[in-house]
Amino acid sequence: MQFIDLRSDTVTQPTPEMREAMANAPVGDDVYGEDPTINQLQAEAAALFGKEAGLFVASGTMGNLCSVLTHCGRGDEMIIGKQSHIFRYEVGSAAAYGGVHPNTLEVRRDGTMDLTAIRDAIRSNDEHEPSTRLICLENTHGGASGAPLSAEYVAQVAEIARQHHLKLHIDGARIFNAAAALNTPVSELCRHADSVTFCLSKGLSAPVGSVIVGSRDFIRRAHKVRKSLGGGMRQAGILAAAGLVALRTMPQRLHEDHLKARALAEGLAQMSYLELDLESVRTNMIFFTLAQDAPVSLAALSRRLKHEFNILANPYNDARREFRLVTHTWIKQEDVETILEAFRVILLSERAASPAASD
Ligand SMILES: *Cc1c(COP(=O)(O)O)cnc(C)c1O
């Protein structure tokens, strides 16, 4: 059965061109640095980001962990958003494996952290305090409706980092969505970052993998950390081949996903019982809340979308009555109207069926 899957852009499947490239990829032992396809992907990624070197890793989580462990030692501190993926959704791995202490700051609705708050969070030389080593940003910020961070903002944070001899890591899982939304190349958005992780397997639609980019020295050290995490993958050029197609062909089409998100959001914003801030829809994510007096529960909405309309959409936060929808290449333009009609039918029919809404 064919579902319209709005749960995430991670559900995107490899294109025929990717499968073909995977089947034909020249490979070698990457632990010896001898996989030509991986080497090509790493070189192209580094060039695109204006960095010296790249490192292919199994996932975004591994890329972030590898980067944090390369920048920080045990007991060191990283300044990081309370709503960030690294802090919320990576199993506390930086603390678990690296003893890295997170100093969390509130993320605002536009995905930024207050610059004064960042400055204030940096530790002094007081012997009671941990040593601050790293600032982490997320671009686009998934915990802030997929908001893109501007090159100016990143430069301001980088300046604070530079003044205090700290490193700057960007979790750029969806950095190409930021580049599309802001019409700014990734090299510009990441110019001042010491390391960046980006995902090949989200909107770019590759089946597996992320890439870390940074200086040659940083990547050499990260390579060793990757090995220690079990991330030396031998003939993984099979995977990198799909990543190369993703990197070369998919960034250019991400604005289409943003247009679909905008069209969907504009339709949803008209509907009773849905609260949606259109200004928050900047990339491929739509967040909305179900009003308290809505005649349908979060779970029932999700269930009916699936069983009656073949639409997959999950509640994002039950306590806040929040839903998240994500657009990607497998959502077609004509699906937008199908999705809107499904919401209309469910919200209206439930209303008619509800004794409390007999007007
Ligand atoms: C998906 C994601 C990651 C992690 O990627 P995985 O490949 O799922 O481990 C990291 N950061 C952000 C912002 C993400 O959206």
Side-chain angles (χ1 to χ4, degrees), residues 12-25 204-207 238 241-242 245-246 249-250 329-330 332:
T12 47
Q13 300 208 358
T15 62
E17 190 187 354
M18 289 177 195
R19 289 177 184 271
E20 170 106 17
M22 292 173 82
N24 298 316
L204 302 190
S205 306
I238 295 274
V245 175
T249 65
M250 301 304 274
T329 178
W330 286 60
K332 302 296 162 222

Side-chain angles (χ1 to χ4, degrees), residues 105-126:
L105 302 183
E106 203 58 47
V107 174
R108 297 179 290 199
R109 287 160 63 86
D110 66 356
T112 64
M113 297 181 283
D114 179 62
L115 296 175
T116 305
I118 293 176
R119 269 192 216 95
D120 289 349
I122 297 169
R123 305 289 188 157
S124 65
N125 284 329
D126 186 301

Side-chain angles (χ1 to χ4, degrees), residues 139-305:
N139 198 8
T140 63
H141 203 300
S145 307
L149 304 183
S150 70
E152 294 74 36
Y153 175 74
V154 177
Q156 287 172 321
V157 174
E159 179 57 20
I160 296 173
R162 201 191 54 75
Q163 283 167 354
H164 294 85
H165 308 290
L166 309 178
K167 301 297 183 190
L168 175 64
H169 173 70
I170 297 179
D171 175 358
R174 296 189 179 87
I175 192 77
F176 288 100
N177 291 88
L182 300 169
N183 202 16
T184 306
V186 289
S187 57
E188 193 60 32
L189 293 175
C190 300
R191 180 182 297 281
H192 303 287
D194 296 288
S195 56
V196 183
T197 302
F198 70 91
C199 288
L200 295 161
S201 61
K202 294 198 167 160
L204 302 190
S205 306
V208 180
S210 288
V211 181
I212 310 172
V213 293
S215 70
R216 203 165 284 115
D217 175 63
F218 173 82
I219 292 297
R220 187 183 49 73
R221 291 183 292 124
H223 193 275
K224 196 158 177 171
V225 175
R226 185 187 71 172
K227 189 79 179 92
S228 79
L229 295 173
M233 293 192 290
R234 310 298 178 185
Q235 286 79 27
I238 295 274
L239 302 173
L244 264 175
V245 175
L247 194 62
R248 289 171 184 167
T249 65
M250 301 304 274
Q252 301 84 307
R253 58 152 307 284
L254 290 175
H255 66 280
E256 295 170 23
D257 298 340
H258 300 176
L259 289 174
K260 284 176 281 185
R262 163 88 5 208
L264 202 47
E266 281 172 359
L268 291 169
Q270 309 282 326
M271 292 184 198
S272 319
Y273 309 118
L274 300 188
E275 289 161 13
L276 189 158
D277 172 14
L278 274 176
E279 276 186 29
S280 74
V281 183
R282 304 279 310 277
T283 57
N284 66 331
M285 291 184 185
I286 304 152
F287 283 75
F288 62 84
T289 55
L290 198 57
Q292 281 296 345
D293 63 344
V296 60
S297 70
L298 262 78
L301 177 56
S302 186
R303 201 167 47 239
R304 290 197 58 190
L305 284 169

Side-chain angles (χ1 to χ4, degrees), residues 88 143 287-290 298 316-323:
R88 280 169 76 174
F287 283 75
F288 62 84
T289 55
L290 198 57
L298 262 78
Y316 189 72
N317 183 315
D318 287 317
R320 289 207 302 265
R321 302 178 62 78
E322 192 171 48
F323 255 77

